[in-house]
Amino acid sequence: MPLQGNLRDFSTTQLLNLINLAGKSGTLTFFEGKRTGEVENLGDQKRERIVAGQERAAMSFRSGKLIFAKMTGQDGSLISVLNKAGKLTDEQARIIRERAKNTTDKALALLLINANYVSQNDVVTCIQQHTLDVVYNLMAWNDNPFRLDEDVHPDGSRIQVPIDLENVIIEGARRIREIAELNQHLPNLDMALKFPDNPKEKFKGIHLSVEEWRVVSFVNPKNTIRQIAKANNMSETEIRRVVYGLEQAGLVEMVKPPGMEQAAAGDRRRRPPQKPQVQRVTVNRLIDKIRSI
Amino acid sequence: MQTVKMVITGPFSAGKTEFIRSISEIEVVSTEQNISTDAEKKEKEQTTVAMDFGRITVDDDLVLYLFGTPGQRRFDFMWEILAEGMLGFVVMVDSAKPETFREAKSILETFRAYAPTPYVVAANKQDHPDAWSADDLRIALRIEEGVKLLPCVAKDKESVKGVLLELLYSILEEMDAG
């Protein structure tokens, strides 16, 4: 049975770690998250149920190594990859595409190497970089259903370059850490923003990007950061990045919007833990009893 | 009469009440409440709001109590009270619901902080077609190698016995280690 879930619960980095440690083979497919409008209940937390829609991307693995990755709708053929990397000109790529319509990537690679268009190293490096680009792009996704099918493998005609997952995970984790730091700095998007005293002074000589101006135009103690993000059609990460920059520059300050409740104090004082005084013979009696049930 | 307590914890709908019900010699004293909304009812009809209570009598001198914690965070004021004096604890995880894994890990860490007692993790609902294997769960939950992560089906008494026995073996091992 396939492993399946959603990236909002289990990140790409965690999935890659699982595949690496367990030495798994197969194909990990990511889907568009289709919102159902239904609410699912996770104890205290309620959220909208998301089901798998169309396929968006896939990565394949052999014995815990990444061997292939593709984005739906993106041309990942050898010609495109070499063209994108500057190893083939647009004109060369067009001619080869025309003449080698029914040739597999593997066969084409041999032809190109034999014809001295590219070296074997060029092919390997470009395919590897393309695969990594796809994977790093995927690392930013956080709301997509996924499924790992251990009996699905990539088409044999594709060139597969095994890549150790450790480095991919480290780089992926670094990118996610950047997002986590922003989340840590700005954990509550229900806070509002206000201008500091003497805002005109602070804004003097400052050059803001278009996105920053869009945020600044909504700054008001009555608007939460979440509302500003929504009004500007920005993701949570995007708004965090902008607000962080504005705050660090002293251009805005965070305030509680009117009516915001104080967060419940979760750090109740705890008594020091106490171990029960139970003897070995008692545990053995419990074992005997449970065995006999 | 000596009483010994074990705690069965885990996220909402992980199977804690079912676990206790499968092995308790008494009808489980459940403090369950009907769930009000349709969305919540999709998961289960009732939820534990204070605790579940089951009992296994060894003999006239010794009784084992099983306490099931409420899964929702809004009832977590009960957790510390239930954890007081426990011999060990079981963390139940719904293996077919990866969306609850993070919460399971958080609950595990919370209970470890309450008391340094042995514990095991029960990968429940292994009979579900979407269940993650115990090995995959270990990696997903980042459970250390030394901690037992046991496949479990809470409605199966033999499976529940297996989990409790493994917890008791862990308690013995800790006593041996000193």
Side-chain angles (χ1 to χ4, degrees):
Chain A
M1 69 196 72
L3 285 186
Q4 51 192 348
N6 191 301
L7 291 179
R8 60 183 170 174
D9 306 308
F10 207 73
S11 70
T12 313
T13 315
Q14 286 172 299
L15 279 170
L16 295 182
N17 193 37
L18 174 87
I19 289 161
N20 180 41
L21 291 176
K24 285 187 183 291
S25 299
T27 297
L28 179 61
T29 310
F30 298 88
F31 302 90
E32 179 192 348
K34 270 176 66 181
R35 301 191 175 277
T36 59
E38 293 173 34
V39 176
E40 66 180 346
N41 181 39
L42 295 171
D44 283 347
Q45 195 194 349
K46 289 184 179 61
R47 64 183 190 185
E48 189 177 354
R49 189 184 297 277
I50 292 178
V51 295
Q54 289 186 326
E55 184 179 322
R56 295 277 312 278
M59 300 181 207
S60 297
F61 306 89
R62 193 190 307 128
S63 305
K65 286 189 194 304
L66 176 67
I67 54 168
F68 179 71
K70 65 169 183 184
M71 286 277 183
T72 305
Q74 196 180 75
D75 183 3
S77 67
L78 179 65
I79 300 299
S80 290
V81 169
L82 291 172
N83 179 218
K84 201 174 131 192
K87 299 293 176 190
L88 294 176
T89 64
D90 290 348
E91 184 61 12
Q92 284 173 325
R94 188 185 63 77
I95 293 168
I96 295 168
R97 270 197 198 99
E98 275 178 13
R99 292 185 184 170
K101 270 181 186 161
N102 298 318
T103 312
T104 64
D105 275 0
K106 277 184 183 170
L108 196 57
L110 277 175
L111 288 171
L112 291 172
I113 292 165
N114 288 336
N116 282 329
Y117 271 97
V118 291
S119 67
Q120 186 179 353
N121 187 46
D122 287 338
V123 172
V124 170
T125 310
C126 291
I127 291 285
Q128 203 166 33
Q129 192 53 52
H130 170 73
T131 306
L132 289 172
D133 285 346
V134 170
V135 174
Y136 291 143
N137 205 341
L138 267 166
M139 295 279 190
W141 295 8
N142 55 20
D143 209 7
N144 297 75
F146 66 80
R147 192 181 67 222
L148 176 64
D149 295 285
E150 297 191 48
D151 54 352
V152 175
H153 304 286
D155 177 0
S157 64
R158 292 283 195 172
I159 299 169
Q160 298 165 14
V161 182
I163 301 171
D164 283 333
L165 279 174
E166 279 92 348
N167 289 334
V168 180
I169 292 166
I170 289 167
E171 175 58 17
R174 190 196 65 74
R175 294 176 187 216
I176 288 168
R177 203 178 307 126
E178 185 200 0
I179 294 173
E181 279 169 14
L182 285 170
N183 291 355
Q184 195 179 8
H185 178 77
L186 191 54
N188 189 357
L189 292 182
D190 294 319
M191 294 289 279
L193 298 173
K194 77 172 188 74
F195 292 117
D197 298 335
N198 303 322
K200 278 183 188 169
E201 195 66 30
K202 301 240 178 191
F203 275 87
K204 208 181 280 178
I206 290 277
H207 295 283
L208 298 179
S209 67
V210 176
E211 282 191 333
E212 286 164 337
W213 273 120
R214 282 162 59 198
V215 171
V216 164
S217 67
F218 282 92
V219 169
N220 182 319
K222 288 179 185 168
N223 294 338
T224 66
I225 298 169
R226 197 183 301 283
Q227 287 167 333
I228 297 174
K230 199 175 173 188
N232 285 310
N233 205 16
M234 292 170 123
S235 70
E236 291 194 357
T237 303
E238 285 167 339
I239 189 78
R240 281 191 167 99
R241 195 172 281 137
V242 171
V243 170
Y244 179 72
L246 292 173
E247 200 201 9
Q248 291 299 303
L251 300 176
V252 296
E253 290 174 0
M254 266 190 275
V255 288
K256 282 179 188 164
M260 184 179 179
E261 289 176 30
Q262 286 284 347
D267 56 345
R268 296 186 303 279
R269 288 204 172 278
R270 288 178 181 150
R271 283 164 288 179
Q274 290 177 353
K275 272 193 172 186
Q277 298 300 313
V278 175
Q279 292 182 332
R280 189 183 170 85
V281 64
T282 306
V283 178
N284 279 323
R285 283 164 68 197
L286 288 169
I287 289 171
D288 291 342
K289 172 64 186 178
I290 288 172
R291 278 184 184 149
S292 70
I293 292 174
Chain B
M1 159 95 69
Q2 184 180 10
T3 60
V4 175
K5 176 163 94 176
M6 283 183 187
V7 169
I8 317 299
T9 189
F12 172 74
S13 192
K16 303 177 288 290
T17 306
E18 187 84 63
F19 184 94
I20 298 174
R21 201 165 273 159
S22 291
I23 194 120
S24 174
E25 66 194 15
I26 58 167
E27 190 64 31
V28 172
V29 182
S30 226
T31 52
E32 293 195 318
Q33 231 177 40
N34 286 329
I35 289 172
S36 50
T37 69
D38 287 344
E40 286 175 323
K41 275 184 181 168
K42 278 190 177 172
E43 299 295 327
K44 53 197 247 185
E45 286 290 324
Q46 291 192 314
T47 191
T48 306
V49 294
M51 62 176 181
D52 289 320
F53 173 66
R55 189 185 71 193
I56 297 169
T57 306
V58 177
D59 51 36
D60 291 344
D61 298 327
L62 180 60
V63 176
L64 170 64
Y65 291 137
L66 298 173
F67 288 92
T69 64
Q72 287 108 323
R73 280 275 174 189
R74 64 178 177 271
F75 301 118
D76 67 359
F77 61 91
M78 284 297 299
W79 294 359
E80 192 173 355
I81 299 166
L82 292 174
E84 183 71 35
M86 65 184 172
L87 188 62
F89 63 97
V90 178
V91 182
M92 303 285 296
V93 186
D94 182 341
S95 312
K97 273 204 163 60
E99 61 268 35
T100 64
F101 294 171
R102 196 177 295 150
E103 175 68 358
K105 179 72 176 174
S106 165
I107 292 172
L108 191 161
E109 297 301 339
T110 304
F111 271 79
R112 279 183 71 178
Y114 286 149
T117 54
Y119 65 95
V120 296
V121 180
N124 192 25
K125 305 189 188 179
Q126 285 291 309
D127 54 341
H128 193 286
D130 291 336
W132 290 41
S133 72
D135 287 344
D136 289 343
L137 264 175
R138 180 180 291 281
I139 297 170
L141 291 167
R142 276 174 281 160
I143 305 289
E144 297 151 33
E145 280 302 318
V147 176
K148 291 172 183 168
L149 200 155
L150 310 157
C152 173
V153 178
K155 58 192 175 195
D156 173 18
K157 187 161 83 173
E158 289 305 313
S159 181
V160 171
K161 279 170 62 178
V163 171
L164 287 179
L165 283 170
E166 287 298 337
L167 176 57
L168 287 162
Y169 297 148
S170 293
I171 292 164
L172 277 184
E173 284 162 18
E174 202 200 61
M175 285 175 168
D176 289 343

